[in-house]
Amino acid sequence: MSITTVGIIGAGTMGNGIAQACAVSGIQVIMVDISEAAVGKGLSTVAGSLERLLKKDKISAADKDAALARIKGSTSYDDLKAADLVIEAATENHDLKVKILKQIDAIVAPEVIIASNTSSISITKLAAVTSRPDRFIGMHFFNPVPMMALVEIIRGLQTSDATHDAVQSMAKALGKTPITVKNAPGFVVNRILVPMINEAFFVLAEGLATPEDIDAGMKLGCNQPIGPLALADMVGLDVCLAVMDVYLSEFGDSKYRACPLLKEMVAAGRLGRKTGQGVYTY
């Protein structure tokens, strides 16, 4: 099946980024959120992002206008009836996602594919709450969506080949590079990334090097664009800790034990950029 219209639940950072990527690629978008204010904010974020691309000569004024015209903002799930694919991009909360997915499932036609942009919740579990588990899949985009080339396509136990192939083709049509992943906590990228960040905290706690030198070592020695401690501050130390706790409980393997220093900093409210203090001061 070809996907020409995409519904997106959530007009926040991920939702509006996905909307922009789709619209720029010629796909019609219905972006739904709970309030007119949230929808308006999402649309203005996309307009601002496209304006910056125009100033850098990355797109033409006609391209910008055409992309914006392809995005319809709405507060009604009924508008999703026109979609071939609906992507849930709400907050990373299991109960909220289940509630939203049941609403989508009840409204859209049986052949419509439903995807979740979750970064940590089981696709198999989410698929099971819908009436179409074979047409349910994970599409994990990375922030900022318009800039980041990767999409993790996560197959639940029930996901059909046809669903996978349609979503993989659509991701490529967005100019993204999809990788196919089996359902497991953290999928691929975060499964490797967050334990690396956690290990950087152990190195810091043991006094092996300063935060600046740890980050410089990984940037210059491993060609990473940002060091793991600076990245932790950007992601949020509370988020890093929560992910490690999920891995520990899901895998039951002590290698996923969160660093005591990470726990201590979260307990102190030093969560990174969003609080003005993490490993570094902002």
Side-chain angles (χ1 to χ4, degrees), residues 40-111:
K41 189 178 177 189
L43 290 169
S44 66
T45 300
V46 174
S49 177
L50 292 172
E51 184 61 34
R52 286 191 293 279
L53 290 174
L54 176 63
K55 283 179 178 167
K56 291 177 183 171
D57 291 327
K58 297 278 175 73
I59 59 170
S60 67
D63 289 340
K64 177 196 154 188
D65 293 342
L68 285 172
R70 289 187 194 106
I71 305 174
K72 174 186 177 179
S74 173
T75 56
S76 171
Y77 276 62
D78 282 339
D79 287 331
L80 297 172
K81 287 177 182 172
D84 306 304
L85 163 72
V86 179
I87 302 171
E88 169 276 310
T91 311
E92 196 70 353
N93 175 300
H94 175 268
D95 294 345
L96 176 65
K97 287 189 186 291
V98 166
K99 182 185 166 195
I100 289 169
L101 292 171
K102 285 181 174 176
Q103 284 179 270
I104 298 167
D105 189 43
I107 282 171
V108 300
E111 66 274 11

Side-chain angles (χ1 to χ4, degrees), residues 133-155:
D134 60 317
R135 284 185 292 289
F136 191 91
I137 199 163
M139 283 191 90
H140 181 211
F141 290 84
F142 289 77
N143 188 25
V145 178
M147 311 296 294
M148 298 290 274
L150 183 68
V151 181
E152 282 182 313
I153 297 178
I154 305 104
R155 298 188 70 143

Side-chain angles (χ1 to χ4, degrees), residues 124-181:
T124 298
K125 270 190 191 172
L126 292 177
V129 307
T130 74
S131 64
R132 67 192 81 209
D134 60 317
R135 284 185 292 289
F136 191 91
I137 199 163
M139 283 191 90
H140 181 211
F141 290 84
F142 289 77
N143 188 25
V145 178
M147 311 296 294
M148 298 290 274
L150 183 68
V151 181
E152 282 182 313
I153 297 178
I154 305 104
R155 298 188 70 143
L157 193 63
Q158 318 92 316
T159 307
S160 71
D161 290 344
T163 297
H164 167 268
D165 295 350
V167 168
Q168 185 182 56
S169 295
M170 181 260 189
K172 287 178 180 174
L174 299 185
K176 304 297 183 192
T177 302
I179 62 170
T180 298
V181 182

